[in-house]
Amino acid sequence: NAGVTQTPKFQVLKTGQSMTLQCAQDMNHNSMYWYRQDPGMGLRLIYYSASEGTTDKGEVPNGYNVSRLNKREFSLRLESAAPSQTSVYFCASTEGRLQETQYFGPGTRLLVL
Amino acid sequence: RKEVEQDPGPFNVPEGATVAFNCTYSNSASQSFFWYRQDCRKEPKLLMSVYSSGNEDGRFTAQLNRASQYISLLIRDSKLSDSATYLCVVTTSGSARQLTFGSGTQLTVLP
């Protein structure tokens, strides 16, 4: 099992460009999450999907959209990138029960110039 | 006030030392508690869950004090491989298990 995979690993964008970060998991998990990690801020939840067909905003959703394409895949889209979106983005998944581990992908490092 | 607060460190300790990390959380309705470990430029990985009765996994001991809203992690006999950032994590109720992360405590174990 690959676990949680993310593409791309690195990306450089110019302000105003758009891009989609891809995430897939092969653990048959119900819930999937997108976080961003900035120095000194910890991981902050952008959006999550409790189950296939549902998505909800997290702590910092502005400037992002998500799509839960199917049970395996959860994508994050930046429609018009801004320098403030320079960050490391992690996707995670879990079965969704209490006291359960979230499994993280390797991250996407995004630089917006 | 942050929901989950940790001393950012860094903690620099010699091999074999015992080191303790503390964490406080502000939401009294928090339900589950964890320590995650994150190596440099890598993803977070679960180190251990934290139970009310306290729990131990080898050299690692986690404690929870719900009354004081305080979580701790003790590492005994530190190894070089323990060098990492340790993230305190709590969950809140809801339709999905949303994790709230502390900003992490950086540990460097020195030879």
Side-chain angles (χ1 to χ4, degrees):
Chain A
N1 285 354
V4 181
T5 57
Q6 291 182 236
T7 56
K9 287 187 169 55
F10 305 96
Q11 186 70 50
V12 179
L13 291 179
K14 293 181 180 178
T15 297
Q17 287 185 318
S18 62
M19 77 163 295
T20 300
L21 283 66
Q22 306 286 355
C23 174
Q25 51 90 9
D26 62 2
M27 295 174 283
N28 201 37
H29 284 168
N30 291 313
S31 301
M32 297 184 74
Y33 307 79
W34 276 105
Y35 295 90
R36 60 179 289 174
Q37 186 174 34
D38 303 293
M41 298 290 291
L43 280 88
R44 292 181 293 168
L45 183 65
I46 304 171
Y47 270 93
Y48 67 97
S49 171
S51 59
E52 187 179 355
T54 69
T55 60
D56 287 284
K57 295 178 180 179
E59 181 186 354
V60 288
N62 291 345
Y64 305 95
N65 285 301
V66 291
S67 296
R68 182 76 181 266
L69 303 169
N70 47 55
K71 193 171 186 180
R72 290 187 65 248
E73 298 172 288
F74 189 37
S75 63
L76 179 72
R77 182 158 178 86
L78 287 69
E79 290 291 350
S80 179
S84 60
Q85 294 178 305
T86 293
S87 190
V88 181
Y89 291 86
F90 289 101
C91 177
S93 72
T94 181
E95 282 192 29
R97 296 194 303 268
L98 187 63
Q99 282 287 356
E100 192 167 56
T101 305
Q102 282 199 2
Y103 294 88
F104 285 81
T108 295
R109 283 166 175 74
L110 176 65
L111 174 62
V112 182
L113 301 174
Chain B
R1 182 185 171 191
K2 289 184 181 178
E3 285 194 51
V4 180
E5 296 213 49
Q6 296 182 247
D7 182 343
F11 285 63
N12 298 316
V13 302
E15 266 188 293
T18 295
V19 61
F21 304 138
N22 302 320
C23 169
T24 57
Y25 61 95
S26 60
N27 187 346
S28 59
S30 297
Q31 296 183 321
S32 306
F33 308 89
F34 308 89
W35 284 101
Y36 276 67
R37 170 194 169 127
Q38 186 173 23
D39 293 304
C40 188
R41 301 180 70 79
K42 298 285 189 181
E43 71 272 24
K45 292 183 179 178
L46 179 69
L47 178 68
M48 59 196 302
S49 301
V50 187
Y51 303 115
S52 296
S53 54
N55 48 300
E56 188 174 307
D57 183 1
R59 298 180 293 108
F60 298 84
T61 300
Q63 298 276 355
L64 168 64
N65 184 323
R66 283 188 184 269
S68 301
Q69 296 180 201
Y70 171 94
I71 306 160
S72 65
L73 177 68
L74 183 77
I75 305 176
R76 291 182 300 279
D77 188 23
S78 300
K79 311 292 185 191
L80 296 177
S81 57
D82 294 334
S83 297
T85 297
Y86 291 83
L87 306 172
C88 176
V89 184
V90 306
T91 66
T92 55
S93 61
S95 60
R97 299 305 171 194
Q98 296 185 52
L99 304 188
T100 301
F101 288 78
S103 53
T105 298
Q106 186 181 342
L107 170 67
T108 301
V109 181
L110 304 168

